[in-house]
Amino acid sequence: MTQRNAIILAAGKGTRMKSKLYKVLHQVCGKTMVEHVLGQLEEAKIDNIVTVVGYGAETVEQTLGNRTKYALQKQQLGTGHAVMQTESLLGDQEGETLIVSGDTPLFTAATFNKMFEYHEQRHAAVTILTSVAPDPTGYGRIVRNDVGIVERIVEQKDATHEEQEIHEINTGVYCFDNQKLFQALKLINNDNAQGEYYLTDVIGILKNHGEIVTAYRMADFDESMGVNDRVALARANKIMRKRINTRLMKDGVTMVDPETTYIDADVKVGRDTVIEGNVVIKGNTTIGSDCFIGAHSVIKDSVLHDDVKVYASTLEEAEMHTGSDVGPNSHLRPQAEIGKGVHIGNFCEIKKAYIGENTKIGHLSYVGDATLGKNINIGCGVVFVNYDGSKKHHTNVGDHAFIGSNSNIVAPVNIAEDSFVAAGSTITDSTERFDMAIARARQVNKPDYAKKLPW
């Protein structure tokens, strides 16, 4: 197999997006568009990848890191001009070069590989990636002769009535013989209304020199969609979500309502997990097997081991171990680690805390900056008071402790194993094993006092 190169065109600003964010950095299912393109090129085992940057170059480079080389297009003078900027990196390379735009997040590695194979089998100088559009309006048309050989690409504004009836369109992706590409680039000019150097002019030059020009027609038109505005961005997200959900369901995940299940591209879900509708799973989240994710849950950058249940709750950078459950309507904030068999009930918040095995936090409690042992009972309305107005402080609770309802645990403090905190207490001192801590005023009844009250 010959050497394979790729150029990602990512220099444009994207004015139609009407955004301060550069176009290729808008996200589709949790990843920027240009990351989707780069990821598929990496999956296709491309030897050399060069990204042409311009507007927002530093931000694009920060996003992609050292996964690609970079060429800078200081002035936006057309697609041909953009490719010219890669000559110092690719001009002396052999093999084939794929050129793709950074705002086309739906292309797949499988399509890129099939295009390379088609191009190499026909010993072509250039292969154009085409597709059949249900509505070809606005696209360049592929004009073939009687035996199917590509004659030319005709833009919408230049097409005759007959040519406008053609549904095979140019997707804007090309595979070139690398040496012939850079030789032909030296022959193009900017003698046109836009004053730009067009990559499509290279195709005409190669054809006029008797080189083989072919077109590979891919099956799925949706892959070719470029994103130029927010409407297209929403459509791309919808297509990508359907692709992600279909893959997961085929791998053994049950989705009650895939149309309202929103899962990012890098999420991993194990077999026999059930996901109800109106669920959002984002970022680098991993969910194990035999889990249940209830309706209206939001999970981001979290790890759920096997047999975990989440009921209508929000998780951010949290971890839940095997057999634990949370919700409904609870919030696991960053660095919340929920041990095996732990029960977190409704309207609870856990932040920067480890909850040991089989501990129960039933409802309406806040646990922050704490380490809890095994088999602890946290009653209703318990608050771990971790902030003194300037600093956060830590609390430790030992195994088998009991924290009664409506207690305040004022950090820093250590609640020993097997100790008992009476309901309604405000605890400011540590306890010893088997202590019962009670910190509340004695009840005083005032006879007939209620008669003096205004009601």
Side-chain angles (χ1 to χ4, degrees):
M1 186 173 68
T2 60
Q3 178 173 295
R4 292 179 175 181
N5 313 297
I7 299 171
I8 304 174
L9 304 180
K13 186 176 183 180
T15 54
R16 281 183 282 175
M17 296 296 287
K18 293 182 171 59
S19 173
K20 58 182 177 293
L21 188 66
Y22 302 106
K23 181 168 68 168
V24 299
L25 297 179
H26 282 266
Q27 291 197 349
V28 172
C29 292
K31 292 170 68 172
T32 64
M33 293 193 287
V34 71
E35 284 180 287
H36 278 290
V37 175
L38 177 58
Q40 293 304 309
L41 291 172
E42 290 171 330
E43 190 174 327
K45 308 297 183 185
I46 305 298
D47 299 297
N48 292 312
I49 303 174
V50 178
T51 301
V52 181
V53 294
Y55 288 105
E58 290 184 5
T59 310
V60 174
E61 291 180 27
Q62 287 173 1
T63 300
L64 301 182
N66 59 6
R67 296 163 60 190
T68 172
K69 299 173 184 176
Y70 299 95
L72 178 63
Q73 186 185 21
K74 294 181 180 179
Q75 292 180 284
Q76 309 304 296
L77 300 177
T79 51
H81 180 260
V83 176
M84 290 177 191
Q85 311 314 304
T86 70
E87 185 171 11
S88 63
L89 297 170
L90 294 176
D92 60 351
Q93 298 294 310
E94 300 297 328
E96 320 301 334
T97 296
L98 181 78
I99 300 176
V100 59
S101 174
D103 64 358
T104 52
L106 300 175
F107 281 118
T108 64
T111 294
F112 292 150
N113 281 328
K114 288 176 183 177
M115 186 180 181
F116 270 119
E117 291 167 6
Y118 185 93
H119 175 83
E120 291 163 1
Q121 288 170 1
R122 283 152 182 78
H123 306 287
V126 57
T127 298
I128 307 159
L129 182 62
T130 74
S131 189
V132 176
D135 178 6
T137 304
Y139 289 95
R141 309 302 205 279
I142 301 299
V143 180
R144 297 177 183 263
N145 65 16
D146 293 342
V147 293
I149 296 173
V150 176
E151 290 288 336
R152 63 190 182 279
I153 302 171
V154 180
E155 296 303 320
Q156 170 80 29
K157 64 181 184 302
D158 300 321
T160 65
H161 178 74
E162 184 179 28
E163 289 167 343
Q164 288 183 12
E165 296 300 314
I166 297 172
H167 282 253
E168 185 180 9
I169 57 93
N170 176 23
T171 67
V173 177
Y174 310 96
C175 187
F176 287 92
D177 176 288
N178 191 68
Q179 290 294 311
K180 292 175 180 177
L181 166 64
F182 284 98
Q183 290 167 10
L185 281 170
K186 293 180 171 64
L187 302 177
I188 66 173
N189 59 60
N190 63 344
D191 185 17
N192 53 62
Q194 300 298 319
E196 295 184 351
Y197 298 88
Y198 295 130
L199 185 59
T200 49
D201 289 348
V202 171
I203 299 170
I205 289 169
L206 292 173
K207 189 166 185 65
N208 290 336
H209 282 73
E211 300 287 356
I212 298 174
V213 175
T214 65
Y216 172 69
R217 184 185 300 171
M218 66 179 187
D220 185 1
F221 170 72
D222 282 340
E223 277 194 43
S224 67
M225 189 181 73
V227 176
N228 292 313
D229 57 28
R230 306 297 179 114
V231 176
L233 184 66
R235 183 164 178 263
N237 270 282
K238 185 174 183 178
I239 293 169
M240 184 69 76
R241 280 199 305 270
K242 183 177 180 180
R243 185 186 294 178
I244 292 166
N245 290 357
T246 299
R247 171 177 55 80
L248 289 172
M249 287 188 289
K250 287 183 176 180
D251 285 343
V253 177
T254 294
M255 293 186 190
V256 175
D257 185 5
E259 292 295 320
T260 63
T261 302
Y262 306 89
I263 300 179
D264 277 355
D266 288 335
V267 171
K268 299 177 179 62
V269 185
R271 291 182 177 180
D272 293 312
T273 285
V274 176
I275 303 174
E276 292 190 328
N278 292 302
V279 166
V280 178
I281 307 176
K282 305 175 73 174
N284 294 312
T285 293
T286 298
I287 298 174
S289 300
D290 300 295
C291 294
F292 175 83
I293 312 299
H296 310 294
S297 294
V298 178
I299 303 173
K300 180 180 179 182
D301 295 327
S302 296
V303 177
L304 281 63
H305 296 258
D306 296 342
D307 194 29
V308 166
K309 294 177 174 60
V310 178
Y311 300 96
S313 293
T314 297
L315 282 66
E316 306 170 79
E317 299 175 35
E319 182 172 5
M320 296 184 67
H321 289 272
T322 301
S324 60
D325 66 271
V326 62
N329 302 307
S330 285
H331 189 181
L332 302 185
R333 291 172 57 194
Q335 299 181 58
E337 184 175 355
I338 311 303
K340 292 182 178 180
V342 168
H343 168 65
I344 309 291
N346 54 299
F347 297 102
C348 294
E349 182 174 336
I350 315 294
K351 188 271 298 181
K352 199 178 181 181
Y354 174 78
I355 313 299
E357 187 172 334
N358 294 322
T359 286
K360 305 290 187 289
I361 305 174
H363 31 226
L364 299 164
S365 295
Y366 169 72
V367 181
D369 293 276
T371 301
L372 277 60
K374 301 177 181 178
N375 299 297
I376 296 167
N377 184 83
I378 304 293
C380 177
V382 171
V383 175
F384 281 66
V385 185
N386 58 329
Y387 185 52
D388 65 7
S390 61
K391 294 181 180 179
K392 298 289 182 70
H393 300 280
H394 197 82
T395 295
N396 296 299
V397 182
D399 297 346
H400 308 287
F402 183 98
I403 311 295
S405 295
N406 202 36
S407 294
N408 297 308
I409 311 300
V410 183
V413 70
N414 294 315
I415 307 299
E417 60 180 320
D418 296 303
S419 59
F420 187 103
V421 174
S425 295
T426 295
I427 302 300
T428 58
D429 296 321
S430 296
T431 68
E432 299 295 331
R433 190 179 185 191
F434 299 122
D435 282 354
M436 184 184 81
I438 181 167
R440 62 190 186 216
R442 288 185 176 275
Q443 180 175 329
V444 176
N445 293 340
K446 303 285 187 180
D448 296 324
Y449 189 85
K451 295 178 181 179
K452 301 177 184 180
L453 299 176
W455 58 81

